[in-house]
């Protein structure tokens, strides 16, 4: 949570997000450095009164720039042309009763609208 960043450590992050990094390894040190840099960015953003929203920690907080760049590579290319599908128009001539002139959608809904 954005309001609980003070004192939040990489070790706590590893536990909270079930990361498999082992202390003392190069991977742990690399990810800890990335995490600490991201935490500095988060704190700087959250203390800036010009910002109208707050940042918090999520499972991306220890990602490299390349990992960010390659995330969600399933976007279609610019050359992608979807296949044209001919749509059939339905007609509703089979209605047994006329439609109401007005409908209040706040009534009989689940969950109720307050």
């Amino acid at each position: 949570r954005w309001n609980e960043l003070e004192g939040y450590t990489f070790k706590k992050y590893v536990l909270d997000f079930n990361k498999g990094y082992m202390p003392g390894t190069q991977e742990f040190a690399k990810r800890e450095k990335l995490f600490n840099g991201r935490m500095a960015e988060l704190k700087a953003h959250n203390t800036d009164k010009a910002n109208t929203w707050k940042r918090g920690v999520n499972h991306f907080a220890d990602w490299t720039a390349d990992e960010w760049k390659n995330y969600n590579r399933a976007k279609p290319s610019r050359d992608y042309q979807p296949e044209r599908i001919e749509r059939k128009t339905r007609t509703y001539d089979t209605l047994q009763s006329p439609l109401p002139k007005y409908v209040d959608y706040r009534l009989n809904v689940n969950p109720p609208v307050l």
Side-chain angles (χ1 to χ4, degrees), residues 36-48:
N36 289 335
R38 190 88 65 238
M39 284 296 290
E41 292 172 14
L42 295 176
K43 289 177 182 179
H45 173 89
N46 291 349
T47 56
D48 185 350

Side-chain angles (χ1 to χ4, degrees), residues 2-33:
W2 69 267
N3 60 341
E4 298 175 352
L5 295 179
E6 205 57 46
Y8 193 71
T9 65
F10 182 66
K11 288 180 182 179
K12 177 79 171 127
Y13 168 78
V14 169
L15 292 173
D16 288 348
F17 291 95
N18 200 26
K19 302 286 185 165
Y21 312 134
M22 298 300 294
T25 62
Q26 285 183 334
E27 183 73 11
F28 186 91
K30 171 184 155 185
R31 299 295 176 167
E32 185 174 29
K33 183 178 179 182

Side-chain angles (χ1 to χ4, degrees), residues 29-113:
K30 171 184 155 185
R31 299 295 176 167
E32 185 174 29
K33 183 178 179 182
L34 290 164
F35 172 83
N36 289 335
R38 190 88 65 238
M39 284 296 290
E41 292 172 14
L42 295 176
K43 289 177 182 179
H45 173 89
N46 291 349
T47 56
D48 185 350
K49 300 292 184 202
N51 294 320
T52 59
W53 58 279
K54 303 292 184 190
R55 288 183 177 179
V57 175
N58 61 25
H59 61 285
F60 301 118
D62 63 342
W63 278 24
T64 65
D66 284 339
E67 288 170 325
W68 273 102
K69 191 170 105 178
N70 291 320
Y71 182 65
N72 197 3
R73 299 290 285 186
K75 297 176 185 172
S77 69
R78 293 178 191 209
D79 301 333
Y80 174 72
Q81 293 293 323
E83 184 180 325
R84 289 270 184 207
I85 299 173
E86 192 172 320
R87 295 193 172 117
K88 296 179 182 176
T89 305
R90 290 186 185 177
T91 58
Y92 294 95
D93 295 336
T94 59
L95 291 175
Q96 301 299 320
S97 62
L99 294 174
K101 192 168 186 174
Y102 300 102
V103 176
D104 187 346
Y105 289 100
R106 296 172 295 176
L107 304 176
N108 300 322
V109 294
N110 188 15
V113 177

